């Protein structure tokens, strides 16, 4: 795993980077890289990982397997070294949905939610613009699959950025700072990502500053800078504003999805980066990744990453998200939709 779980690459300067069985030469994704690779390489049927900022969803997407980040607080984190308790979750990986769901039946609280048909599936066009290129056809694949399986009336393509801007009032004073960012971006999601990363950094510092300052660990490149930046971060961030945005965002998203709505987005902003990729393009990719990953992160909602197969030698995936505590419903919908997603992907890529 990445040191101190503070990366989504899955690289480790001390112990080496586990080989991505789905795309050798590309990073396996992190921080739970070993767990994902063990599943993707057929070494185990399932494995556990932790997901604070994306550490189950990213390796699942990069390794072409299923990964679930459960609703925050639903699976105990007792005896897990905290990264940032506000966002830490214990999730898991599997090669098929039935195994992923069997693990859910053991780890998640019992639920009698047998609903398999969502009332609405929001597939926001702007979230797919973050991909930078629509070559993988995931936007079309999702729209076609949902319409085919649940009816075209279930599809809603409203922009998530506009929805957040309209329904999260505390975001407005920050949005101008993110409107001139590097393209492609959705300013409202860039703010959500910034808020989550600042809150995460603050908790990481509270948890680990004393140890890092005392031990001065020999951290690998990239990680070293990120950890010391967190430890050195001042107390001048408007954390109260960020907590207000978090609460408003959670309420807004709950109102959007209601009991049985689904949000469908890209899991990651493109194919896994190559091992040893230079820092600048990697940072741009990371920024785009977090504007997608922070949606479930800041809200505490559940998200499952679903592999569609490989195209041009790299894995392609999509994610479904549901409200807090609707994890069983989320997995029910994923099982209903999965076969159609794969069929539509095969069709789209063939043409």
């Amino acid at each position: 795993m990445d040191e101190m779980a503070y990366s989504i690459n899955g690289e480790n300067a001390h112990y080496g980077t586990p080989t991505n069985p789905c795309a050798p030469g590309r990073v396996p994704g992190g921080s739970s890289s070993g767990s994902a690779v063990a599943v993707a390489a057929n070494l185990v049927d399932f494995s556990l990982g932790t997901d604070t900022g994306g550490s189950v969803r990213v390796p699942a997407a990069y390794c072409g397997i299923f990964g679930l980040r459960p609703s925050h607080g639903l699976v105990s984190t007792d005896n897990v070294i905290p990264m940032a308790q506000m966002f830490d979750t214990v999730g898991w990986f599997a090669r098929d949905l039935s195994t992923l769901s069997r693990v859910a039946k053991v780890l998640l609280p019992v639920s009698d939610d047998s609903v398999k048909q969502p009332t609405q599936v929001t597939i926001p066009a702007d979230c797919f613009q973050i991909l930078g290129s629509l070559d993988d056809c995931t936007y079309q694949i999702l729209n076609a699959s949902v319409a085919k399986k649940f009816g075209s009336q279930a599809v809603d393509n409203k922009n998530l950025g506009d929805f957040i801007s309209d329904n999260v009032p505390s975001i407005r004073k920050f949005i101008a700072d993110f409107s001139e960012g590097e393209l492609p971006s959705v300013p409202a999601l860039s703010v959500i990502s910034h808020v989550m990363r600042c809150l995460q950094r603050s908790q990481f510092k509270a948890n680990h500053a004393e140890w890092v300052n005392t031990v001065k660990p020999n951290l690998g490149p990239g990680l070293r800078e990120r950890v010391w930046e967190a430890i050195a971060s001042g107390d001048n961030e408007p954390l109260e504003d960020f907590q207000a945005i978090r609460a408003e965002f959670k309420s807004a998203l709950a109102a959007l999805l209601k009991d049985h709505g689904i949000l469908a987005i890209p899991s990651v902003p493109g194919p896994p980066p190559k091992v040893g990729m230079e820092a600048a393009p990697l940072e741009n990719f990371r920024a785009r990744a977090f504007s997608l990953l922070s949606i479930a992160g800041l809200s505490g909602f559940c998200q499952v990453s679903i592999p569609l197969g490989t195209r041009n030698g790299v894995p392609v995936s999509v994610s479904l998200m549901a409200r807090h505590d609707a994890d069983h419903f989320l997995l029910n919908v994923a099982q209903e939709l999965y076969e159609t997603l794969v069929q539509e992907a095969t069709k789209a890529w063939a043409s």
Side-chain angles (χ1 to χ4, degrees):
M1 65 177 282
D2 297 276
E3 297 170 89
M4 303 190 82
Y6 219 148
S7 172
I8 54 170
N9 285 348
E11 298 173 296
N12 189 302
H14 307 283
Y15 297 98
T17 300
T19 303
N20 184 338
C22 189
R26 292 179 181 265
V27 295
S31 62
S32 311
S33 49
S35 295
V37 166
V39 170
N42 277 317
L43 301 176
V44 293
D45 294 320
F46 73 93
S47 62
L48 299 177
T50 56
D51 187 316
T52 302
S55 296
V56 165
R57 294 161 289 164
V58 173
Y62 287 1
C63 291
I65 56 176
F66 293 89
L68 178 76
R69 174 199 165 94
S71 297
H72 183 260
L74 241 56
V75 178
S76 170
T77 54
D78 285 358
N79 300 316
V80 174
I81 294 177
M83 202 267 182
Q85 297 88 321
M86 207 180 287
F87 309 115
D88 290 347
T89 63
V90 174
W92 52 94
F93 303 96
R95 286 184 301 280
D96 58 83
L97 268 169
S98 64
T99 306
L100 199 77
S101 298
R102 284 172 68 191
V103 177
K105 286 187 171 76
V106 176
L107 288 180
L108 292 171
V110 177
S111 163
D112 55 5
D113 194 342
S114 57
V115 177
K116 297 176 179 173
Q117 174 105 6
T119 44
Q120 182 178 292
V121 180
T122 303
I123 309 171
D126 58 349
C127 287
F128 289 83
Q129 288 159 10
I130 290 170
L131 294 170
S133 147
L134 296 176
D135 283 356
D136 66 11
C137 309
T138 44
Y139 183 64
Q140 296 93 307
I141 292 164
L142 270 165
N143 276 286
S145 302
V146 171
K148 193 174 191 178
K149 192 74 192 175
F150 304 125
S152 54
Q153 79 291 338
V155 179
D156 178 9
N157 292 129
K158 75 158 63 74
N159 278 344
L160 193 59
D162 293 344
F163 175 81
I164 293 168
S165 301
D166 293 343
N167 292 279
V168 183
S170 296
I171 216 171
R172 289 169 197 154
K173 65 164 113 169
F174 298 99
I175 211 145
D177 299 340
F178 292 89
S179 296
E180 301 300 317
E182 280 190 50
L183 295 173
S185 73
V186 177
L189 288 176
S190 300
V191 178
I192 293 300
S193 168
H194 175 71
V195 167
M196 178 168 165
R197 287 164 87 176
C198 288
L199 289 170
Q200 179 183 342
R201 193 183 297 148
S202 156
Q203 284 206 311
F204 178 87
K205 179 182 178 179
N207 290 326
H208 301 297
E210 188 184 346
W211 181 81
V212 171
N213 283 322
T214 308
V215 174
K216 297 188 170 49
N218 172 28
L219 300 165
L223 257 301
R224 183 187 308 122
E225 292 78 1
R226 194 167 306 126
V227 167
W228 281 105
E229 182 193 9
I231 301 304
S233 61
D235 301 319
N236 53 354
E237 292 283 7
L239 296 181
E240 281 183 19
D241 285 340
F242 292 167
Q243 289 286 17
I245 289 173
R246 179 176 173 234
E248 289 169 15
F249 179 61
K250 204 170 183 171
S251 299
L253 214 53
L256 175 70
L257 297 182
K258 302 186 174 68
D259 281 351
H260 293 117
I262 290 284
L263 180 64
I265 59 169
S267 302
V268 287
K274 290 179 175 164
V275 173
M277 189 175 179
E278 286 181 22
L282 199 57
E283 194 46 48
N284 175 286
F285 188 88
R286 184 180 156 83
R288 288 186 291 131
F290 277 109
S291 61
L292 295 166
L293 295 165
S294 300
I295 301 168
L298 196 67
S299 65
F301 286 15
C302 49
Q303 181 177 340
V304 61
S305 183
I306 300 173
L308 300 181
T310 54
R311 182 163 193 246
N312 302 330
V314 290
V316 178
S317 66
V318 291
S319 269
L320 302 180
M321 202 181 299
R323 66 168 170 82
H324 190 272
D325 206 10
D327 304 54
H328 290 286
F329 162 68
L330 177 66
L331 291 170
N332 290 346
V333 172
Q335 281 178 308
E336 282 293 293
L337 194 57
Y338 178 60
E339 207 174 300
T340 311
L341 281 169
V342 173
Q343 286 167 1
E344 290 297 326
T346 308
K347 201 193 303 180
W349 296 340
S351 65

